[in-house]
Amino acid sequence: MVKTQDDPDYFNRLAHIQTPEFLWIGCSDSRVPANEITGTDPGEIFVHRNVANLVINTDVNLLAVLDYAVNHLKVKHVIVCGHYGCGGIKAATTNIDFKQVLNMWLRNIKDVYRLHREQLDAIKDVDKRCDLLTELNVQEQVANLAKTSIIQRAWKNENRPDLHGWVYGLKDGIIKPVFEMKAGTHIDKLYEYEDL
Ligand SMILES: [Zn+2]
């Protein structure tokens, strides 16, 4: 399909704007492209994707995207969006050796499971257990964002961005908000920098 057929000005407009208000951190899964599931156009969302939408504080790729989005694009919102039926989440609940480097990556999800083991172990249905782990994982990754000096400095100086944790349903197309941290939210003191 030629994009200019239904919107003749599409590429002209695109060439001039890159002022997104949102940074999207989503899963690499081919079924969850950010623009399509949110009904937004190119130019509206700055995007980073990886397996199971993880925020890892040694991931230079993610941190460079976060730094650019927060400090240069001045985004007002950062969204971590997981999805039900996530293969990465399910894989992390098994004892299968996926070899390096997948084992390294999935370890981060196992750590989330361990933090909520009682609650998760109580759910007998495997899919339902993975659904809850998907939500808890999003919550943990949003908290990981708040632990970065990039976010804390922007919160202190400009009172933005707000952080959001969402989960997308592949079956119904519904986005469920599961967690939120407004700009300026206090976190465990151990992680708060005072000399920003
Ligand atoms: Zn996924």
Side-chain angles (χ1 to χ4, degrees), residues 167-179:
V167 178
Y168 174 75
L170 288 170
K171 290 179 187 157
D172 54 19
I174 292 171
I175 288 174
K176 178 181 170 185
V178 295
F179 190 60

Side-chain angles (χ1 to χ4, degrees), residues 27 29 83 86-87:
C27 184
D29 190 306
H83 66 101
C86 182

Side-chain angles (χ1 to χ4, degrees), residues 27-29 31-32 50-53 82-83 85-89:
C27 184
S28 297
D29 190 306
R31 299 164 296 178
V32 292
N50 62 41
V51 173
N53 40 268
H83 66 101
C86 182
I89 295 287

